[in-house]
Amino acid sequence: MRETKIYPPRWYDPILAVFFRLAASGYVPASWFRAPIPEPQSRSTVDGIPTLEVVSHCWQYSNMLAYQLSSFVNYPPTRLKLIVTVFYCAEDEGTSALLNFIEKHDVENVTWNWQALPKEQLFRRGIGRNRAAKSTQADWVWFTDCDIIFHQNCMDSLADELQGRRDVLLFPREERTTPMLARDDVMLKAGSKPQLVDIEAANFTRFSRDRAKGAFQIVHGDVARAIGYCGGISIYQTPAEHWCKCYEDRAFRWLVGTQGTPINVDGVYQVRHIHKGRYKQNSIWSRIRSKIRRLKEQG
């Protein structure tokens, strides 16, 4: 995969973080921080079998990534070619074991693409996403999270929607989600060891959205290759000592100038969970976040 520019940590990074959160509200021109977006007439279209790259990151979430990767084995695409890219760190033994298990499954129309990173680079999700965007050979790239499941007919219904399109950014109009699951929930425990798993669709509730978000950003391949993923914003290409909140997703939508166009995609599911494995276990911040998530669920 193509190497991209990585910035060393600097004393003024907190100032940059605030500046770009404000900038993403539209206070400065986005064109200052990206290459030109290809004009619509110059973007390629697909009439037939598109190639899609799905890009996710995983740190201590293998019990949810198991459902995502299993969905590609259980319900493989027949009307598109799929590249499954997962950024991970070898120190995460659960994720490494899961990837080793999954890659033994030879699935028609699916290519496994595991990308190991030092954890400091993994913790800044914009680094991996930028690298994938600049390197992709796919017609479209779906930037997602490891707790998203691509269930029955998801990929094939998406293939139908992609025919002839030149949009910069698409997103699924609907998804289905679980309630907030505790760490000892039977579903999360089932995914905690390397094995194929599946969901009970009746346990999920339908949810509609009117804009893209970090887990639901389907980007035209020509646009991804041209501008990357916040590659011109140094703070989002700087390694970190802990998992960073993903403000770069909002910045990306500012850079492309759209909240996305909704499309009808079947079988999009999300596992919602109280415990945040990517944060330090039993830390004060981890306990606060878990409490907030429980209160939201009760409300």
Side-chain angles (χ1 to χ4, degrees):
M1 186 168 281
R2 178 177 172 181
E3 293 293 322
T4 53
K5 186 171 183 178
I6 305 298
Y7 294 83
R10 296 139 301 190
W11 66 267
Y12 52 85
D13 280 348
I15 300 172
L16 288 179
V18 173
F19 172 79
F20 281 107
R21 288 176 64 184
L22 293 172
S25 298
Y27 291 113
V28 297
S31 59
W32 290 0
F33 302 100
R34 59 156 171 77
I37 295 175
E39 295 295 329
Q41 63 271 17
S42 70
R43 298 174 207 154
S44 61
T45 61
V46 176
D47 296 299
I49 306 295
T51 300
L52 172 74
E53 183 168 2
V54 172
V55 178
S56 60
H57 281 60
C58 189
W59 172 255
Q60 298 182 356
Y61 276 176
S62 60
N63 57 345
M64 280 162 283
L65 182 65
Y67 284 92
Q68 179 177 113
L69 299 182
S70 293
S71 68
F72 299 130
V73 179
N74 296 332
Y75 306 100
T78 63
R79 297 199 291 276
L80 63 71
K81 300 292 185 181
L82 177 64
I83 302 166
V84 180
T85 297
V86 177
F87 288 95
Y88 74 105
C89 177
E91 293 180 35
D92 183 349
E93 295 179 358
T95 299
S96 296
L98 173 65
L99 298 181
N100 289 335
F101 168 77
I102 290 292
E103 70 183 6
K104 294 180 174 63
H105 293 76
D106 187 9
V107 183
E108 188 173 3
N109 297 322
V110 177
T111 300
W112 309 121
N113 180 30
W114 314 146
Q115 295 291 322
L117 290 176
K119 63 183 179 181
E120 293 80 11
Q121 293 185 25
L122 187 74
F123 291 165
R124 182 78 72 176
R125 196 175 64 178
I127 292 175
R129 286 193 170 190
N130 187 49
R131 189 169 296 177
K134 301 295 287 187
S135 303
T136 190
Q137 298 299 311
D139 300 303
W140 293 85
V141 183
W142 187 330
F143 294 106
T144 193
D145 291 342
C146 64
D147 56 7
I148 305 302
I149 302 168
F150 303 87
H151 208 249
Q152 188 171 12
N153 201 43
C154 178
M155 292 289 103
D156 284 348
S157 63
L158 175 60
D160 295 340
E161 288 285 335
L162 296 180
Q163 299 300 305
R165 303 197 77 116
R166 290 189 171 93
D167 306 69
V168 170
L169 177 65
L170 305 170
F171 65 92
R173 192 187 306 273
E174 292 184 346
E175 62 176 300
R176 287 166 171 79
T177 67
T178 63
M180 287 289 188
L181 302 180
R183 186 191 299 186
D184 60 354
D185 186 271
V186 64
M187 182 177 178
L188 298 185
K189 291 176 70 175
S192 63
K193 60 182 179 179
Q195 63 178 341
L196 293 180
V197 289
D198 205 350
I199 61 172
E200 291 290 341
N203 296 335
F204 291 71
T205 301
R206 187 172 67 178
F207 175 79
S208 298
R209 65 176 57 260
D210 60 1
R211 63 185 61 194
K213 74 170 189 177
F216 305 105
Q217 296 184 139
I218 307 170
V219 182
H220 195 289
D222 291 342
V223 174
R225 285 181 285 274
I227 71 169
Y229 200 94
C230 300
I233 301 178
S234 62
I235 186 63
Y236 299 140
Q237 304 302 318
T238 301
E241 294 298 321
H242 58 84
W243 186 273
C244 297
K245 200 162 179 63
C246 301
Y247 294 116
E248 64 266 33
D249 298 335
R250 181 167 174 260
F252 178 76
R253 295 189 292 275
W254 162 62
L255 291 174
V256 298
T258 178
Q259 296 296 324
T261 301
I263 56 175
N264 297 318
V265 183
D266 296 336
V268 180
Y269 291 77
Q270 182 174 24
V271 182
R272 300 169 70 221
H273 44 97
I274 294 171
H275 175 69
K276 305 294 284 185
R278 64 193 181 209
Y279 297 101
K280 184 176 180 181
Q281 187 172 352
N282 296 324
S283 68
I284 294 176
W285 182 234
S286 176
R287 292 196 295 270
I288 291 173
R289 287 185 61 88
S290 295
K291 181 64 173 179
I292 290 172
R293 291 168 74 85
R294 288 190 183 93
L295 291 174
K296 285 183 178 179
E297 182 66 12
Q298 294 169 1

